[in-house]
Amino acid sequence: MKTVYWLIKREFWEHRGGFFWAPVITGGVFLLLNIMGIIGGEVFGAHHGPVFGDSNDPNSLAFMVRSLDAHQMQMVGSGLDLAMLSASFLISVVFCFVVFFYCLGALYDDRRDHSILFWKSLPISNTATVASKVIAAIVAAPIIAIVCGVLTGIAMLLLFALTLSLHGIGVWSVLMLAHPFQVVGFLIGSLPIYVMWALPTVGWLMLCSAWAKSKPFLWAVVIPVALGVILGWFHLLGITTLKTDWYWNKILTRLLFSVFPGGWFKEAGVDQLDHNPQAIGNFLTLSHAYGVLSKPDIWIGATAGIAMLALAIWFRRWRDDS
């Protein structure tokens, strides 16, 4: 375990720009965009929006907030929770591209620059090497992204509350509507589901990275997409009655896009959400999120991902391009 720990630290040192600075910079850009939006809203509101100054004016924002009923307060709270999640969502999009290309080059780059000869000269097994890269991709990197997302989301809530407080609306009256601890618990608690959900893509990319002699992107992305196009072409000509929707939704999507967090939301019934704040609150609970474990899709994908990782270890053991 100590060897794997140091190998993970090595991966972090070599990819600090993608694992650490990319989420940090994305969070900073997100906050900057929110500040620009607040300033724009202030300027627009000064001419066309509600009155901010007199809290006793029925047209003032403070009066409107005080007159909200319980259902509307819940809606505001759900909106704040979703706004906090939106920070994590934007960071996760950037993080996913980092993880995708990291996995694609994780085993290929060692062979391309012949550093694999150095690492194989050390008493480090191929299993430990591949395991450290997998843990770095779907455990260490997501934890950093979650921390950045949570800090960015909290900073955004404070920014909103501070702005509203300047117009007569209490900071705590706004913050108390949100459920930051529930959002943080949801993000952290969803990490094990993400690990299982991402295994097919991580396994496929590392398999191509270990197997391809050159251009792993071609084998990992272009070939599966071309196969889907050919199947669709056969179906269009009437040569086969096989519907290609199954291939695109169940095979290609799971092979290439499972590193994107929240891919299991559809399995968890996100398409059934409406504007009911209670439904949104229930959706952001771990008991609901872990309901996806009752679906066979996640277990089949995880099993296939582990099998592909085993093949990647085998190829790394025998592949020698030197």
Side-chain angles (χ1 to χ4, degrees):
M1 289 300 294
K2 192 173 182 179
T3 302
V4 174
Y5 169 75
W6 283 106
L7 287 173
I8 294 172
K9 292 196 72 172
R10 168 219 169 194
E11 296 298 323
F12 179 77
W13 289 333
E14 289 190 352
H15 302 276
R16 182 180 300 178
F19 286 165
F20 179 76
W21 288 113
V24 170
I25 293 173
T26 304
V29 171
F30 183 82
L31 287 177
L32 177 62
L33 292 175
N34 275 277
I35 292 173
M36 293 171 63
I38 289 173
I39 295 175
E42 291 280 343
V43 173
F44 182 81
H47 299 285
H48 308 286
V51 178
F52 288 108
D54 187 1
S55 61
N56 295 320
D57 190 327
N59 293 322
S60 70
L61 189 59
F63 187 87
M64 293 179 184
V65 171
R66 286 203 307 270
S67 61
L68 293 177
D69 57 27
H71 179 75
Q72 291 170 327
M73 297 283 273
Q74 276 189 321
M75 288 290 290
V76 173
S78 298
L80 292 174
D81 293 342
L82 292 178
M84 189 173 173
L85 276 176
S86 66
S88 298
F89 172 76
L90 183 62
I91 291 174
S92 68
V93 170
V94 176
F95 143 81
C96 289
F97 283 102
V98 171
V99 169
F100 185 94
F101 287 101
Y102 165 77
C103 293
L104 194 58
L107 302 176
Y108 172 74
D109 290 344
D110 287 352
R111 290 186 289 119
R112 184 181 59 178
D113 59 17
H114 302 296
S115 63
I116 190 174
L117 299 177
F118 168 75
W119 292 108
K120 282 192 173 183
S121 67
L122 300 177
I124 300 174
S125 66
N126 292 292
T127 302
T129 301
V130 174
S132 68
K133 294 178 183 294
V134 173
I135 294 173
I138 58 176
V139 178
I143 289 176
I144 296 173
I146 288 173
V147 171
C148 290
V150 168
L151 293 178
T152 304
I154 292 175
M156 188 185 65
L157 287 182
L158 293 176
L159 190 63
F160 286 165
L162 181 62
T163 303
L164 292 176
S165 69
L166 297 177
H167 299 289
I169 302 174
V171 175
W172 291 111
S173 65
V174 176
L175 293 181
M176 291 300 289
L177 296 177
H179 310 87
F181 293 109
Q182 180 182 351
V183 174
V184 173
F186 177 77
L187 291 173
I188 297 175
S190 299
L191 183 59
I193 300 178
Y194 174 75
V195 171
M196 291 187 63
W197 188 262
L199 276 174
T201 298
V202 173
W204 170 247
L205 294 177
M206 287 203 174
L207 174 60
C208 293
S209 182
W211 171 72
K213 287 188 176 181
S214 65
K215 302 176 180 58
F217 183 84
L218 175 68
W219 294 101
V221 178
V222 178
I223 298 300
V225 172
L227 179 60
V229 173
I230 292 173
L231 289 176
W233 184 64
F234 282 150
H235 179 71
L236 187 65
L237 295 179
I239 298 176
T240 175
T241 58
L242 179 65
K243 294 184 178 180
T244 57
D245 293 347
W246 182 85
Y247 174 80
W248 290 100
N249 294 329
K250 298 296 183 182
I251 303 297
L252 191 71
T253 302
R254 296 289 275 127
L255 280 180
L256 299 182
F257 300 109
S258 292
V259 290
F260 287 81
W264 61 89
F265 284 173
K266 185 178 180 181
E267 298 285 337
V270 69
D271 52 341
Q272 299 175 2
L273 281 180
D274 51 21
H275 297 292
N276 185 356
Q278 187 65 38
I280 296 175
N282 292 336
F283 186 80
L284 298 179
T285 58
L286 288 178
S287 59
H288 185 270
Y290 276 80
V292 74
L293 295 180
S294 64
K295 307 291 183 181
D297 189 9
I298 190 171
W299 294 102
I300 295 173
T303 304
I306 293 172
M308 288 186 283
L309 287 173
L311 280 174
I313 295 172
W314 187 85
F315 275 115
R316 190 179 190 276
R317 180 178 296 124
W318 300 110
R319 176 72 77 190
D320 184 3
D321 297 339
S322 61

